[in-house]
C-alpha cells in the first residue's frame, strides 16, 4: 500500500472572531483541498464505507468522479441516494457512520467523506441545481406530515417515483430541526432553503402553517384525498427536569431558546421583531448537540460566561466530538458529573442561581453508560442569571389527535416497523424521531427513504397483508 | 390565504380585521356546534414575530376569521397600519382547545379591554345552548369601549364599566361582579377574559362564593403548538402549556403571580422595538409610509 497522506484539515473561523458572529464556523474545502482529499480514497473493490451510511450513498463513485474533476458525475452519484447532501455533509456524525467503516481508519485517518460530500453539494449550488428526471405520474397521492429531514427525504423520493406528494408543515418555514434547532453557524439557512427548493423541484407541494391534528386529522387526509400518509413529525416536545424553580423568568427550554434565535432570527433583533433574552451568566443543562448549540448561541448573543452542566462525564456526552471541541475552543465552561437539584430565583421570579449536586459513576444503566449516582452532601450553589434546559425531547402528541389506532409506546413514540416504516394503522407510515425518539438527522433521512420505498411498493400492490405480527416479535 | 378583507377601527387603538382563511374558518365551527376560545398565530411579514390572537368571530360561508387587535407594542402598531388587500405573511390555526360550552343555568361573562371581542362569541354560544347570560365589560376609559350593542344582543343583562367613570359605571369590572355575588344573584359559572391582572381579581372575587370561574390565559407564545414551553403556566401546582392544554383554565387553580411575572420577561426589548418603529415612522412619513417601506 502506498503511503497515505494525512487527512486535509478544513479551514475554520478563528474562535476569537467567530464567537462574535453567527456565520458558519467551518468554511469548507477549496477545490485543491477537495481534490487532494478525494485522492486519498483507495477505491476499495468491496467498499465498507457505504454500509456505514444510513442512505447508502455510492461513496467511492462520487469521490472518484471528484478526483478526476468530473463534478457533474460526482453530483449524480451523490444525489442518486441523497436528496439533501449539503445538509448531511455538515451535520451527519460521520465519525460513527461512513468514516467509521472506512478501511483507512484501521491505520490512518479515514477519508473526510462528509467534507467531500459538502464540497460537491456546495459546488452544485453554485452552478444552479439540476432537476433529475421524474417518473411518469402514478395517479396516487401521498400526504407527508412534517418537513424535517425524514419528511423531506420521503417526499423527495416519492415525487421522483411519480406520486403526487403534499408536504404539510406546521411552522411557516421548512426544515424542522434544520431550521429552528441547528444554528446558522453550523448550518446556514440558505443551504436548507436551497435543499428544500430541490425537493420542491422534484414535484412535492409544500403547505406551511398546517398543523395536522388541528387543521386536519390523519383520518381526514386518508378519507379525502390521500392514498397514504407518512408521519415525520419528529420529537419536538421539550423534556423538563421537574425540579423547583423551573418556571422562573430566564429559564428556557432549548427548543424555545433556539427557535427564537434560529427560526425567528432573534440574533438580528430589533431588525427582526422576535426578542430573545440574554443575561451575563448562562447555564445550559445537558451535553448533547442541542446543549452545545444552545451554549454557543448564548455566547454569540453576548453572554459573558456560559456554563454547561452535565450529570455524566465528558466521555459519555452525547454531542459530536467535533462540536464539543468547538465549544471548548470557544470558551464554554464545563461542569461534568454535576446535576441541578433546584433553580433559585428572586421574589419577582427571576433566576439568580442553581443548586447543584456532584455525581459519581455507578453501574451501567439501560443506555449502557455508567449511571450517574448523586453524592450525598455534595450540594453547592452556582450564581447564574439564565438557564437553558437541553435534556432531550419527546414526540409532540398533536398529530395523534383522534387517532387511537395509531399505537404508541409509553415514551410517546409511535410503533412502526423498522424496515418498512409501517405503523399499526393501515396506510400510515412513520419514520425519524417520532419512531426512535430524538436521534440524528441522517437516521431520520434513512427512515424516510425506507418508508418511501415501501409506500411505493404498497401503492403498486396493496393486496399484501398490512402488518405481520411476527415482524414485531422479531423486533422486540 | 390570509388576505385582509375588512378593516374597522373599533376604538382609537383597537382594530378589527376580517381575514380570509377558509380552511381555518371551517375548523373553528365543526358541525355548526359553536366552539369559541381558539386562537391563531399570525406573522404580519417576513421579519415579524409570531403573535397569538383570539378568534373573535368567523364566517364559514365567506371563509373568514375576525381578529380584534389592540395596539400595545411594535407588532400590533404595525398591524394597525395594514389595510384591506394587504396580507399577513402567515396565519396558523385553529390552535388551543375549544371551550366546552354547556347549559349550566346562569353565567356571567366578563370582558376587559380588547378581550371584549372574545366575550362576544362566547356569550352568544352560551346563550344558544340555553343559559341566562349576564355580561360585564370594562375598559380604562370611554374611548376604549366597543361592541356594546353586540354584547347586549347576546346578553340578558349588560353592565359597562370604565376605570375613570367617563362612561357607564365608574370602577373596575370586579366591583359590579362582587355586588351581584353579595346580593345573592344566582350565578352558576363565571367566564373572565382580559388582562391577566383583571382575570386574577375576577378569580379572587368569586373564590369565597365558590362560583366556578374559567379564564383564558394570555401568556407569551412562540410556536403555539406545544414545542417550546414559552407559554407555560402553573395550574393546580402543575406546569401546563397554555397553547395546547388551554388557553382556558380554572381561574381558582392558576398561579397568577407566575403568569404576571412571566409577562414581564421582554419588557425592555418590547420598549426598544416600539422606539425603533416610531423612529422609522417619523423618518418615513408616518406609520403607513413605514409599513410600505418595510415590505
Amino acid at each position: 500500500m502506498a503511503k497515505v497522506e494525512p487527512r486535509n484539515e478544513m479551514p475554520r473561523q478563528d474562535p476569537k472572531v467567530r464567537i462574535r458572529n453567527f456565520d458558519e464556523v467551518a468554511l469548507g474545502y477549496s477545490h485543491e483541498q477537495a481534490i487532494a482529499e478525494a485522492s486519498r480514497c483507495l477505491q476499495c473493490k468491496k467498499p465498507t464505507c457505504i454500509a456505514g451510511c444510513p442512505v447508502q450513498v455510492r461513496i467511492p463513485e462520487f469521490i472518484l468522479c471528484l478526483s478526476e474533476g468530473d463534478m457533474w458525475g460526482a453530483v449524480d452519484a451523490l444525489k442518486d441516494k441523497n436528496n439533501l447532501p449539503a445538509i448531511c455533509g455538515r451535520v451527519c456524525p460521520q465519525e460513527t457512520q461512513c468514516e467509521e467503516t472506512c478501511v483507512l481508519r484501521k491505520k490512518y485517518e479515514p477519508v473526510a467523506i462528509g467534507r467531500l460530500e459538502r464540497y460537491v453539494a456546495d459546488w452544485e449550488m453554485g452552478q444552479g441545481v439540476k432537476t433529475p428526471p421524474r417518473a411518469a405520474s402514478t395517479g396516487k397521492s401521498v400526504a407527508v406530515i412534517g418537513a424535517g429531514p425524514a419528511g423531506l427525504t420521503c417526499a423527495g423520493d416519492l415525487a421522483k417515483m411519480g406520486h403526487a406528494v403534499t408536504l404539510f408543515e406546521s411552522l411557516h418555514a421548512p426544515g424542522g430541526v434544520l431550521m429552528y434547532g441547528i444554528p446558522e453557524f453550523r448550518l446556514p439557512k440558505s443551504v436548507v432553503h436551497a435543499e428544500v427548493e430541490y425537493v420542491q423541484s422534484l414535484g412535492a407541494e409544500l403547505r406551511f402553517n398546517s398543523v395536522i391534528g388541528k387543521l386536519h386529522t390523519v383520518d381526514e387526509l386518508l378519507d379525502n384525498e390521500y392514498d397514504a400518509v407518512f408521519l415525520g413529525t419528529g420529537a419536538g416536545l421539550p423534556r423538563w427536569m421537574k425540579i423547583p424553580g423551573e418556571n422562573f423568568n430566564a429559564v428556557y427550554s432549548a427548543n424555545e431558546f433556539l427557535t427564537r434565535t434560529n427560526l425567528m432570527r432573534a440574533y438580528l433583533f430589533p431588525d427582526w421583531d422576535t426578542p430573545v433574552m440574554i443575561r451575563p451568566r448562562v447555564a445550559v443543562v445537558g451535553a448533547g448537540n442541542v446543549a452545545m448549540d444552545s451554549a454557543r448561541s448564548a455566547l454569540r448573543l453576548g453572554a459573558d460566561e456560559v456554563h454547561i452542566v452535565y450529570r455524566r462525564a465528558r466521555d459519555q456526552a452525547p454531542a459530536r466530538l467535533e462540536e464539543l471541541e468547538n465549544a471548548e475552543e470557544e470558551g464554554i465552561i464545563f461542569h461534568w458529573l454535576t446535576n441541578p437539584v433546584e433553580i433559585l430565583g428572586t421574589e419577582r421570579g427571576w433566576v439568580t442561581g442553581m443548586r447543584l449536586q456532584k455525581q459519581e459513576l455507578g453501574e451501567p444503566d439501560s443506555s449502557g453508560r455508567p449511571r450517574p449516582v448523586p453524592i450525598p452532601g455534595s450540594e453547592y450553589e452556582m450564581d447564574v442569571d439564565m438557564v437553558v434546559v437541553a435534556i432531550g425531547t419527546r414526540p409532540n402528541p398533536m398529530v395523534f389527535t383522534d387517532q387511537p389506532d395509531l399505537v404508541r409506546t409509553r415514551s410517546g413514540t409511535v410503533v412502526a416497523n423498522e424496515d418498512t416504516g409501517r405503523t399499526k394503522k393501515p396506510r400510515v407510515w412513520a419514520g425519524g424521531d417520532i419512531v426512535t425518539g430524538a436521534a440524528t438527522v441522517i437516521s431520520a433521512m434513512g427512515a424516510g427513504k425506507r418508508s418511501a420505498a415501501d409506500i411505493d411498493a404498497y401503492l403498486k400492490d396493496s393486496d399484501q397483508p398490512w402488518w405481520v405480527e411476527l415482524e414485531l416479535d422479531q423486533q422486540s | 390565504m390570509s388576505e385582509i378583507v375588512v378593516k374597522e377601527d373599533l376604538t382609537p387603538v383597537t382594530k378589527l380585521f376580517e381575514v380570509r382563511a377558509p380552511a381555518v374558518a371551517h375548523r373553528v365551527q365543526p358541525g355548526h356546534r359553536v366552539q369559541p376560545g381558539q386562537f391563531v398565530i399570525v406573522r404580519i411579514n417576513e421579519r415579524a414575530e409570531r403573535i397569538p390572537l383570539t378568534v373573535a368571530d368567523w364566517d364559514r360561508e365567506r371563509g373568514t376569521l375576525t381578529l380584534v387587535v389592540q395596539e400595545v407594542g411594535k407588532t400590533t402598531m404595525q398591524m394597525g397600519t395594514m389595510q384591506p388587500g394587504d396580507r399577513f405573511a402567515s396565519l396558523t390555526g385553529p390552535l388551543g382547545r375549544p371551550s366546552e360550552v354547556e347549559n349550566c343555568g346562569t353565567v356571567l361573562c366578563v370582558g376587559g379591554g380588547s378581550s371584549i371581542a372574545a366575550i362576544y362569541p362566547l356569550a352568544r354560544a352560551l346563550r344558544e345552548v340555553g343559559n341566562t347570560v349576564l355580561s360585564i365589560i370594562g375598559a380604562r376609559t370611554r374611548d376604549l369601549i366597543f361592541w356594546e350593542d353586540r354584547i347586549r344582543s347576546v346578553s340578558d343583562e349588560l353592565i359597562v364599566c370604565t376605570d375613570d367613570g367617563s362612561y357607564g359605571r365608574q370602577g373596575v369590572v370586579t366591583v359590579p361582579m362582587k355586588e351581584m355575588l353579595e346580593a345573592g344573584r344566582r350565578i352558576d359559572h363565571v367566564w373572565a377574559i382580559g388582562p391577566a391582572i383583571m382575570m386574577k381579581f375576577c378569580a379572587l372575587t368569586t373564590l369565597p362564593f365558590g362560583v366556578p370561574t374559567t379564564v383564558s390565559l394570555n401568556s407569551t407564545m412562540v410556536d403555539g403548538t406545544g414545542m417550546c414551553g414559552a407559554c407555560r403556566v402553573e395550574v393546580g401546582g402543575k406546569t401546563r402549556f397554555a397553547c395546547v392544554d388551554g388557553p382556558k383554565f380554572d381561574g381558582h387553580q392558576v398561579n397568577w403571580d407566575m403568569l404576571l411575572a412571566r409577562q414581564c420577561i421582554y419588557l425592555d426589548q418590547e420598549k426598544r422595538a416600539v422606539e425603533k418603529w416610531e423612529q422609522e415612522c417619523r423618518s418615513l412619513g408616518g406609520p403607513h409610509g413605514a409599513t410600505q417601506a418595510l415590505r
Side-chain angles (χ1 to χ4, degrees), chain A residues 172 209 214-215 220 236-238 246-247 249 251-253 255-256 260 269 272-274 277 396, chain B residues 27 46-50 74 92-93 96 225-228 230 232 234 239 261-262 265-266 269:
Chain A
H172 59 263
N209 313 305
K214 288 287 182 189
L215 191 63
E220 287 166 351
L237 197 72
E246 219 166 1
N247 291 332
N249 287 1
V251 180
Y252 275 118
S253 72
N255 266 12
E256 183 187 353
R260 284 178 179 274
F269 179 88
W272 288 60
D273 291 342
T274 304
M277 180 182 359
N396 190 327
Chain B
R27 297 302 291 195
E46 287 309 320
R47 291 183 172 203
E49 60 184 338
R50 296 166 64 97
K74 195 260 172 174
T92 310
T225 62
M227 65 174 263
C228 84
R232 62 198 191 275
E234 250 172 49
T239 297
R262 289 187 61 83
I265 294 178
Y266 298 102
Q269 288 96 327

Short mmCIF file of all heavy atoms in Angstrom, two decimals, chain A residues 172 209 214-215 220 236-238 246-247 249 251-253 255-256 260 269 272-274 277 396, chain B residues 27 46-50 74 92-93 96 225-228 230 232 234 239 261-262 265-266 269:
data_model
loop_
_atom_site.label_atom_id
_atom_site.label_comp_id
_atom_site.label_asym_id
_atom_site.label_seq_id
_atom_site.Cartn_x
_atom_site.Cartn_y
_atom_site.Cartn_z
N HIS A 172 -43.97 28.16 9.71
CA HIS A 172 -44.04 28.97 8.50
C HIS A 172 -42.83 28.75 7.59
O HIS A 172 -42.71 29.38 6.55
CB HIS A 172 -44.18 30.45 8.86
CG HIS A 172 -43.04 30.97 9.68
ND1 HIS A 172 -43.09 31.07 11.05
CD2 HIS A 172 -41.81 31.39 9.32
CE1 HIS A 172 -41.93 31.55 11.49
NE2 HIS A 172 -41.14 31.75 10.46
N ASN A 209 -47.85 26.27 7.69
CA ASN A 209 -48.87 26.69 8.67
C ASN A 209 -50.03 25.69 8.76
O ASN A 209 -51.16 26.07 9.00
CB ASN A 209 -49.43 28.08 8.30
CG ASN A 209 -48.32 29.07 7.99
OD1 ASN A 209 -47.43 29.26 8.81
ND2 ASN A 209 -48.34 29.65 6.81
N LYS A 214 -55.01 19.60 14.18
CA LYS A 214 -55.84 20.78 14.42
C LYS A 214 -56.56 21.20 13.14
O LYS A 214 -57.77 21.34 13.13
CB LYS A 214 -54.98 21.96 14.91
CG LYS A 214 -54.48 21.79 16.32
CD LYS A 214 -55.61 21.98 17.31
CE LYS A 214 -55.14 21.88 18.74
NZ LYS A 214 -56.27 21.87 19.69
N LEU A 215 -55.79 21.40 12.07
CA LEU A 215 -56.37 21.87 10.81
C LEU A 215 -57.04 20.70 10.07
O LEU A 215 -58.11 20.84 9.50
CB LEU A 215 -55.28 22.51 9.94
CG LEU A 215 -55.75 23.27 8.71
CD1 LEU A 215 -56.61 24.46 9.09
CD2 LEU A 215 -54.56 23.73 7.88
N GLU A 220 -58.90 12.32 8.22
CA GLU A 220 -59.46 13.17 7.16
C GLU A 220 -58.59 13.14 5.91
O GLU A 220 -59.09 13.12 4.79
CB GLU A 220 -59.62 14.61 7.65
CG GLU A 220 -60.77 14.77 8.64
CD GLU A 220 -60.73 16.08 9.39
OE1 GLU A 220 -59.72 16.82 9.29
OE2 GLU A 220 -61.70 16.35 10.11
N GLY A 236 -40.51 16.92 19.11
CA GLY A 236 -40.33 18.36 19.36
C GLY A 236 -40.87 18.85 20.68
O GLY A 236 -41.03 20.05 20.89
N LEU A 237 -41.20 17.93 21.59
CA LEU A 237 -41.79 18.34 22.86
C LEU A 237 -40.67 18.37 23.90
O LEU A 237 -40.05 17.35 24.15
CB LEU A 237 -42.84 17.31 23.26
CG LEU A 237 -43.86 17.66 24.31
CD1 LEU A 237 -44.87 18.66 23.77
CD2 LEU A 237 -44.60 16.40 24.74
N PRO A 238 -40.41 19.53 24.52
CA PRO A 238 -39.25 19.58 25.43
C PRO A 238 -39.46 18.76 26.71
O PRO A 238 -40.56 18.70 27.23
CB PRO A 238 -39.13 21.06 25.76
CG PRO A 238 -40.47 21.65 25.48
CD PRO A 238 -41.09 20.82 24.40
N GLU A 246 -38.19 25.78 37.97
CA GLU A 246 -38.03 25.66 36.53
C GLU A 246 -38.90 26.63 35.73
O GLU A 246 -38.66 26.84 34.54
CB GLU A 246 -38.34 24.21 36.11
CG GLU A 246 -37.41 23.71 35.03
CD GLU A 246 -37.49 22.20 34.85
OE1 GLU A 246 -38.27 21.52 35.55
OE2 GLU A 246 -36.74 21.71 33.99
N ASN A 247 -39.88 27.26 36.40
CA ASN A 247 -40.72 28.22 35.68
C ASN A 247 -40.33 29.67 35.96
O ASN A 247 -41.05 30.59 35.56
CB ASN A 247 -42.20 27.99 36.03
CG ASN A 247 -42.70 26.68 35.45
OD1 ASN A 247 -42.20 26.22 34.43
ND2 ASN A 247 -43.66 26.06 36.12
N ASN A 249 -38.55 33.26 35.49
CA ASN A 249 -38.15 34.03 34.31
C ASN A 249 -36.68 33.77 34.03
O ASN A 249 -35.87 33.72 34.95
CB ASN A 249 -38.32 35.53 34.56
CG ASN A 249 -39.78 35.95 34.58
OD1 ASN A 249 -40.67 35.12 34.41
ND2 ASN A 249 -40.00 37.23 34.79
N VAL A 251 -35.63 31.03 32.50
CA VAL A 251 -35.40 29.60 32.27
C VAL A 251 -36.07 29.27 30.94
O VAL A 251 -37.28 29.46 30.78
CB VAL A 251 -36.00 28.71 33.37
CG1 VAL A 251 -35.72 27.23 33.07
CG2 VAL A 251 -35.44 29.08 34.74
N TYR A 252 -35.26 28.82 30.00
CA TYR A 252 -35.76 28.47 28.68
C TYR A 252 -35.68 26.97 28.46
O TYR A 252 -34.73 26.33 28.93
CB TYR A 252 -34.85 29.07 27.61
CG TYR A 252 -35.08 30.51 27.18
CD1 TYR A 252 -34.10 31.47 27.36
CD2 TYR A 252 -36.23 30.87 26.51
CE1 TYR A 252 -34.26 32.78 26.92
CE2 TYR A 252 -36.41 32.17 26.07
CZ TYR A 252 -35.43 33.11 26.27
OH TYR A 252 -35.60 34.39 25.81
N SER A 253 -36.59 26.41 27.68
CA SER A 253 -36.30 25.12 27.06
C SER A 253 -35.33 25.44 25.92
O SER A 253 -35.39 26.53 25.35
CB SER A 253 -37.57 24.47 26.50
OG SER A 253 -38.01 25.16 25.35
N ASN A 255 -35.50 24.26 23.07
CA ASN A 255 -36.36 24.45 21.89
C ASN A 255 -36.78 25.91 21.75
O ASN A 255 -36.76 26.47 20.65
CB ASN A 255 -37.62 23.59 22.01
CG ASN A 255 -37.46 22.25 21.31
OD1 ASN A 255 -36.36 21.87 20.93
ND2 ASN A 255 -38.56 21.55 21.16
N GLU A 256 -37.20 26.51 22.86
CA GLU A 256 -37.63 27.91 22.77
C GLU A 256 -36.45 28.83 22.46
O GLU A 256 -36.53 29.69 21.58
CB GLU A 256 -38.31 28.37 24.06
CG GLU A 256 -38.83 29.81 23.90
CD GLU A 256 -39.37 30.44 25.18
OE1 GLU A 256 -39.49 29.74 26.21
OE2 GLU A 256 -39.66 31.65 25.15
N ARG A 260 -36.35 30.82 18.90
CA ARG A 260 -36.28 32.29 18.83
C ARG A 260 -35.03 32.73 18.07
O ARG A 260 -35.09 33.58 17.19
CB ARG A 260 -36.23 32.87 20.25
CG ARG A 260 -37.56 32.87 20.97
CD ARG A 260 -37.43 33.42 22.38
NE ARG A 260 -38.70 33.44 23.07
CZ ARG A 260 -39.60 34.43 22.99
NH1 ARG A 260 -39.34 35.51 22.29
NH2 ARG A 260 -40.75 34.34 23.63
N PHE A 269 -32.43 40.92 16.20
CA PHE A 269 -33.32 41.88 16.85
C PHE A 269 -32.55 43.19 17.06
O PHE A 269 -31.38 43.14 17.44
CB PHE A 269 -33.79 41.31 18.19
CG PHE A 269 -34.70 42.22 18.97
CD1 PHE A 269 -36.06 42.18 18.76
CD2 PHE A 269 -34.19 43.12 19.91
CE1 PHE A 269 -36.91 43.01 19.48
CE2 PHE A 269 -35.03 43.96 20.62
CZ PHE A 269 -36.39 43.90 20.40
N TRP A 272 -35.14 42.21 13.10
CA TRP A 272 -36.22 41.23 13.09
C TRP A 272 -36.94 41.39 14.42
O TRP A 272 -36.33 41.80 15.41
CB TRP A 272 -35.66 39.80 12.91
CG TRP A 272 -35.16 39.56 11.51
CD1 TRP A 272 -34.17 40.25 10.88
CD2 TRP A 272 -35.62 38.58 10.58
NE1 TRP A 272 -33.98 39.75 9.60
CE2 TRP A 272 -34.86 38.73 9.40
CE3 TRP A 272 -36.60 37.58 10.62
CZ2 TRP A 272 -35.05 37.92 8.27
CZ3 TRP A 272 -36.79 36.77 9.50
CH2 TRP A 272 -36.02 36.94 8.34
N ASP A 273 -38.24 41.08 14.45
CA ASP A 273 -39.07 41.50 15.58
C ASP A 273 -39.00 40.61 16.82
O ASP A 273 -39.37 41.05 17.90
CB ASP A 273 -40.54 41.58 15.14
CG ASP A 273 -40.79 42.72 14.16
OD1 ASP A 273 -39.94 43.63 14.08
OD2 ASP A 273 -41.83 42.69 13.48
N THR A 274 -38.61 39.36 16.68
CA THR A 274 -38.68 38.45 17.83
C THR A 274 -37.51 38.70 18.78
O THR A 274 -36.36 38.67 18.36
CB THR A 274 -38.66 36.99 17.37
OG1 THR A 274 -39.74 36.80 16.45
CG2 THR A 274 -38.79 36.03 18.55
N MET A 277 -33.89 36.71 25.20
CA MET A 277 -33.22 37.26 26.36
C MET A 277 -31.79 36.75 26.39
O MET A 277 -31.52 35.62 26.02
CB MET A 277 -33.95 36.77 27.59
CG MET A 277 -33.37 37.26 28.86
SD MET A 277 -34.28 36.57 30.24
CE MET A 277 -35.53 35.61 29.46
N ASN A 396 -44.21 15.19 19.90
CA ASN A 396 -45.37 16.03 20.18
C ASN A 396 -46.63 15.23 19.85
O ASN A 396 -46.76 14.73 18.73
CB ASN A 396 -45.28 17.28 19.31
CG ASN A 396 -46.30 18.34 19.68
OD1 ASN A 396 -47.41 18.02 20.12
ND2 ASN A 396 -45.92 19.59 19.53
N ARG B 27 -62.70 25.02 10.36
CA ARG B 27 -62.39 24.20 11.53
C ARG B 27 -62.88 24.79 12.84
O ARG B 27 -63.06 24.08 13.81
CB ARG B 27 -60.87 24.01 11.67
CG ARG B 27 -60.23 23.28 10.56
CD ARG B 27 -60.81 21.92 10.38
NE ARG B 27 -60.51 21.02 11.47
CZ ARG B 27 -60.67 19.71 11.41
NH1 ARG B 27 -61.12 19.16 10.31
NH2 ARG B 27 -60.38 18.93 12.43
N GLU B 46 -42.31 39.04 6.72
CA GLU B 46 -41.23 38.05 6.78
C GLU B 46 -40.31 38.21 7.99
O GLU B 46 -39.71 37.26 8.45
CB GLU B 46 -40.41 38.07 5.48
CG GLU B 46 -41.14 37.46 4.30
CD GLU B 46 -41.71 36.06 4.56
OE1 GLU B 46 -41.03 35.26 5.23
OE2 GLU B 46 -42.85 35.78 4.13
N ARG B 47 -40.20 39.44 8.49
CA ARG B 47 -39.31 39.64 9.64
C ARG B 47 -40.07 39.69 10.96
O ARG B 47 -39.49 39.95 12.02
CB ARG B 47 -38.54 40.95 9.49
CG ARG B 47 -37.54 40.89 8.37
CD ARG B 47 -36.75 42.18 8.30
NE ARG B 47 -35.68 42.03 7.34
CZ ARG B 47 -34.58 42.76 7.34
NH1 ARG B 47 -34.41 43.70 8.24
NH2 ARG B 47 -33.64 42.56 6.45
N ALA B 48 -41.36 39.49 10.88
CA ALA B 48 -42.20 39.70 12.06
C ALA B 48 -42.11 38.56 13.06
O ALA B 48 -41.70 37.45 12.73
CB ALA B 48 -43.65 39.87 11.62
N GLU B 49 -42.52 38.85 14.28
CA GLU B 49 -42.65 37.81 15.29
C GLU B 49 -44.00 37.12 15.11
O GLU B 49 -44.88 37.61 14.41
CB GLU B 49 -42.53 38.42 16.70
CG GLU B 49 -43.58 39.46 17.00
CD GLU B 49 -43.41 40.13 18.36
OE1 GLU B 49 -42.76 39.56 19.24
OE2 GLU B 49 -43.93 41.24 18.53
N ARG B 50 -44.15 35.96 15.76
CA ARG B 50 -45.42 35.23 15.74
C ARG B 50 -46.22 35.68 16.96
O ARG B 50 -45.72 35.59 18.07
CB ARG B 50 -45.15 33.72 15.81
CG ARG B 50 -44.39 33.17 14.60
CD ARG B 50 -43.87 31.76 14.87
NE ARG B 50 -44.92 30.78 15.07
CZ ARG B 50 -45.39 29.96 14.13
NH1 ARG B 50 -44.88 30.00 12.92
NH2 ARG B 50 -46.35 29.10 14.41
N LYS B 74 -44.94 47.01 19.16
CA LYS B 74 -44.50 47.23 17.79
C LYS B 74 -45.34 46.45 16.77
O LYS B 74 -45.82 47.01 15.80
CB LYS B 74 -43.02 46.83 17.67
CG LYS B 74 -42.37 47.34 16.40
CD LYS B 74 -42.28 46.28 15.35
CE LYS B 74 -41.81 46.87 14.04
NZ LYS B 74 -41.56 45.85 13.03
N THR B 92 -51.68 30.65 11.31
CA THR B 92 -51.73 29.23 11.66
C THR B 92 -52.86 29.00 12.65
O THR B 92 -52.96 29.71 13.65
CB THR B 92 -50.41 28.80 12.33
OG1 THR B 92 -49.32 29.23 11.53
CG2 THR B 92 -50.35 27.29 12.49
N GLY B 93 -53.68 27.98 12.41
CA GLY B 93 -54.73 27.68 13.36
C GLY B 93 -55.72 26.69 12.79
O GLY B 93 -55.49 26.18 11.69
N GLY B 96 -55.17 25.66 20.21
CA GLY B 96 -55.75 25.61 21.56
C GLY B 96 -56.98 24.72 21.59
O GLY B 96 -57.49 24.29 20.56
N THR B 225 -47.82 25.45 19.27
CA THR B 225 -48.15 24.04 19.02
C THR B 225 -47.55 23.10 20.06
O THR B 225 -47.53 21.89 19.86
CB THR B 225 -47.63 23.61 17.63
OG1 THR B 225 -46.20 23.73 17.62
CG2 THR B 225 -48.21 24.46 16.52
N GLY B 226 -47.03 23.64 21.15
CA GLY B 226 -46.54 22.79 22.23
C GLY B 226 -45.08 22.38 22.14
O GLY B 226 -44.64 21.50 22.87
N MET B 227 -44.31 23.02 21.26
CA MET B 227 -42.93 22.56 21.12
C MET B 227 -41.90 23.35 21.93
O MET B 227 -40.73 22.99 21.93
CB MET B 227 -42.51 22.54 19.65
CG MET B 227 -42.47 23.89 18.98
SD MET B 227 -41.80 23.78 17.31
CE MET B 227 -40.11 24.24 17.62
N CYS B 228 -42.32 24.41 22.63
CA CYS B 228 -41.27 25.20 23.28
C CYS B 228 -41.51 25.50 24.75
O CYS B 228 -40.57 25.61 25.52
CB CYS B 228 -40.98 26.47 22.50
SG CYS B 228 -42.05 27.86 22.86
N ALA B 230 -42.77 28.29 26.00
CA ALA B 230 -42.73 29.72 26.32
C ALA B 230 -43.99 30.12 27.10
O ALA B 230 -43.94 30.96 27.98
CB ALA B 230 -42.64 30.55 25.04
N ARG B 232 -45.72 28.48 29.25
CA ARG B 232 -46.08 27.62 30.37
C ARG B 232 -46.63 28.41 31.56
O ARG B 232 -46.19 29.51 31.84
CB ARG B 232 -44.93 26.70 30.78
CG ARG B 232 -43.67 27.34 31.27
CD ARG B 232 -42.55 26.29 31.20
NE ARG B 232 -41.34 26.71 31.88
CZ ARG B 232 -40.40 27.46 31.33
NH1 ARG B 232 -40.56 27.91 30.10
NH2 ARG B 232 -39.32 27.79 32.01
N GLU B 234 -48.71 27.69 35.60
CA GLU B 234 -48.92 26.70 36.64
C GLU B 234 -50.39 26.67 37.00
O GLU B 234 -50.97 27.70 37.35
CB GLU B 234 -48.09 27.06 37.87
CG GLU B 234 -46.93 26.11 38.13
CD GLU B 234 -46.04 26.62 39.24
OE1 GLU B 234 -46.56 27.00 40.31
OE2 GLU B 234 -44.82 26.68 39.02
N THR B 239 -47.27 22.26 35.86
CA THR B 239 -46.90 23.07 34.71
C THR B 239 -47.74 22.64 33.51
O THR B 239 -47.80 21.46 33.19
CB THR B 239 -45.41 22.90 34.39
OG1 THR B 239 -44.66 23.39 35.50
CG2 THR B 239 -45.02 23.69 33.15
N ALA B 261 -45.47 37.58 36.38
CA ALA B 261 -44.01 37.74 36.31
C ALA B 261 -43.51 37.39 34.91
O ALA B 261 -42.70 38.11 34.33
CB ALA B 261 -43.33 36.84 37.35
N ARG B 262 -44.02 36.28 34.37
CA ARG B 262 -43.52 35.84 33.06
C ARG B 262 -43.92 36.81 31.94
O ARG B 262 -43.27 36.86 30.91
CB ARG B 262 -43.98 34.41 32.75
CG ARG B 262 -43.25 33.36 33.62
CD ARG B 262 -43.58 31.93 33.20
NE ARG B 262 -43.19 31.65 31.83
CZ ARG B 262 -41.98 31.29 31.44
NH1 ARG B 262 -41.01 31.15 32.33
NH2 ARG B 262 -41.72 31.06 30.17
N ILE B 265 -41.05 39.42 30.98
CA ILE B 265 -39.71 38.98 30.56
C ILE B 265 -39.10 39.90 29.51
O ILE B 265 -37.94 40.25 29.59
CB ILE B 265 -39.75 37.52 30.03
CG1 ILE B 265 -40.11 36.57 31.18
CG2 ILE B 265 -38.41 37.13 29.42
CD1 ILE B 265 -40.23 35.11 30.78
N TYR B 266 -39.90 40.31 28.53
CA TYR B 266 -39.32 41.04 27.40
C TYR B 266 -39.64 42.53 27.41
O TYR B 266 -39.57 43.19 26.37
CB TYR B 266 -39.79 40.41 26.08
CG TYR B 266 -39.34 38.98 25.96
CD1 TYR B 266 -40.22 37.92 26.19
CD2 TYR B 266 -38.01 38.66 25.65
CE1 TYR B 266 -39.79 36.61 26.11
CE2 TYR B 266 -37.58 37.36 25.57
CZ TYR B 266 -38.48 36.33 25.80
OH TYR B 266 -38.05 35.03 25.73
N GLN B 269 -36.98 44.74 25.71
CA GLN B 269 -36.91 44.56 24.25
C GLN B 269 -38.16 45.13 23.58
O GLN B 269 -38.07 45.71 22.50
CB GLN B 269 -36.76 43.08 23.89
CG GLN B 269 -35.38 42.51 24.20
CD GLN B 269 -35.35 41.79 25.53
OE1 GLN B 269 -36.05 42.19 26.47
NE2 GLN B 269 -34.55 40.75 25.63
#
